[in-house]
Amino acid sequence: MKLSIVLSTQPAQFQAATFKGDLETNLARIAALGYDGVELAIRDPKLVNLDDLERLVRQHSLIVPAIGTGQAWGEEGLSFTDPDPAIRRAAMERIKSHVPVATRLNAVIIIGLVRGIVKPGVDHAQAMDWLIEALRECSAAAEPFGIKLALEPINRYETTLINNAAQGLELIERVGAGNFGLLLDTFHMNIEEPSIEDSLRQTGDRIFHFHVADSNRWHPGAGHLDWQSILQALFATGYAGFVSGEFMPVPDAATGAQKAIEFLRTLV
Ligand code: LER
Ligand code: MN
């Protein structure tokens, strides 16, 4: 099992970005703990020096399986489904600006809350149309570079747009792009899926990335999810990507990350 963990390259309010703050120190810590990779949350590629970033990541022999983009929503309010067309355009351009970064690092681009939440007064069907239009445009921009986009079903308390794997699969049908799939996250799945294992099986080879946190969004092993069963179902789909830790820094980032890797390494 290839393990990575989320690290934010910029200050962020999002609580489950396990590591935040000084990039160099954190990359060294993550590598020392035995992780194979680091999932980088990047609000805006313009804010990072790509040469430095790549050098640091390689220096610690870490792989970057995926790039998180949600801070464009969390910190700036950009979204694919905002009623303001200028905001929708800015969100699409922002996601497309991740393509060169993703190409250089050979990473999946994550579409989390940048899809939006359906603002009051916006019709849900209209929001879906805007979402599909944006995903088609961004998938087409990434496709020539062999880059994949993974939309994350997110629980009902954070958005009303795509909460579960079944809705994600319907969206895949409507978008109709071979490089568009899903990121499944056990925290959200535990809230929304009738059966985590069945949803993994149904999503199959459209699982492009995988987030792990336990039922309480602490590190795997700290809650009541059945990890043996979940990981068996995941790998039975043929999934060969990373299992990426995205959990609260409880009691602190380094201890949570250490407990996660110790626990997960005993399983598969
Ligand atoms: C991001 O990966 C995530 O899981 C969401 O909870 C972000 O709001
Ligand atoms: Mn997640």
Side-chain angles (χ1 to χ4, degrees):
M1 176 168 39
K2 294 181 290 187
L3 288 176
S4 57
I5 191 155
V6 173
L7 165 63
S8 183
T9 56
Q10 276 103 33
Q13 295 168 47
F14 179 48
Q15 289 182 329
T18 311
F19 284 94
K20 297 181 202 177
D22 183 64
L23 195 64
E24 194 154 2
T25 313
N26 282 321
L27 287 171
R29 276 196 195 139
I30 289 166
L33 285 167
Y35 282 84
D36 311 289
V38 62
E39 176 184 320
L40 296 173
I42 301 178
R43 172 158 75 79
D44 184 345
K46 282 205 290 293
L47 301 174
V48 296
N49 179 323
L50 201 50
D51 290 333
D52 283 356
L53 184 65
E54 193 180 11
R55 182 180 47 77
L56 280 175
V57 165
R58 303 289 176 230
Q59 192 178 310
H60 294 289
S61 304
L62 290 165
I63 287 169
V64 180
I67 294 169
T69 61
Q71 290 167 13
W73 158 259
E75 310 290 323
E76 296 175 65
L78 299 188
S79 106
F80 287 165
T81 54
D82 195 282
D84 180 345
I87 294 179
R88 297 201 298 278
R89 174 51 45 202
M92 287 184 258
E93 295 307 325
R94 177 64 59 80
I95 291 304
K96 290 197 282 183
S97 80
H98 282 274
V99 172
V101 190
T103 304
R104 192 139 157 196
L105 299 169
N106 193 25
V108 170
I109 299 173
I110 297 171
I111 308 294
L113 279 178
V114 76
R115 64 153 124 349
I117 56 170
V118 188
K119 283 195 167 163
V122 174
D123 177 61
H124 198 275
Q126 169 67 81
M128 282 299 287
D129 288 346
W130 285 332
L131 175 61
I132 288 160
E133 201 179 304
L135 289 169
R136 283 188 184 145
E137 180 173 326
C138 294
S139 301
E143 198 273 336
F145 302 91
I147 295 302
K148 293 177 173 174
L149 265 63
L151 183 129
E152 180 176 29
I154 289 178
N155 78 75
R156 68 191 71 181
Y157 305 108
E158 294 189 55
T159 181
T160 54
L161 211 52
I162 316 296
N163 303 123
N164 59 39
Q167 292 166 347
L169 288 168
E170 254 180 69
L171 182 67
I172 287 173
E173 285 295 310
R174 290 185 67 188
V175 171
N179 63 332
F180 176 62
L182 300 184
L183 151 56
L184 296 180
D185 177 328
T186 56
F187 172 70
H188 302 301
M189 295 184 91
N190 182 52
I191 297 170
E192 297 293 348
E193 307 296 337
S195 154
I196 293 179
E197 290 85 346
D198 285 349
S199 297
L200 289 168
R201 284 187 276 274
Q202 281 150 16
T203 310
D205 64 4
R206 285 301 178 122
I207 306 173
F208 284 0
H209 192 52
F210 194 63
H211 278 167
V212 287
D214 218 314
S215 48
N216 44 12
R217 218 172 202 183
W218 296 3
H219 60 84
H224 55 75
L225 292 188
D226 182 347
W227 290 98
Q228 192 74 57
S229 168
I230 290 169
L231 292 173
Q232 259 171 23
L234 174 70
F235 293 123
T237 66
Y239 181 75
F242 273 71
V243 169
S244 202
E246 183 192 57
F247 44 79
M248 321 263 292
V250 176
D252 57 77
T255 310
Q258 185 177 356
K259 287 187 180 232
I261 197 167
E262 279 170 9
F263 175 74
L264 291 170
R265 289 277 185 238
T266 63
L267 295 180
V268 188

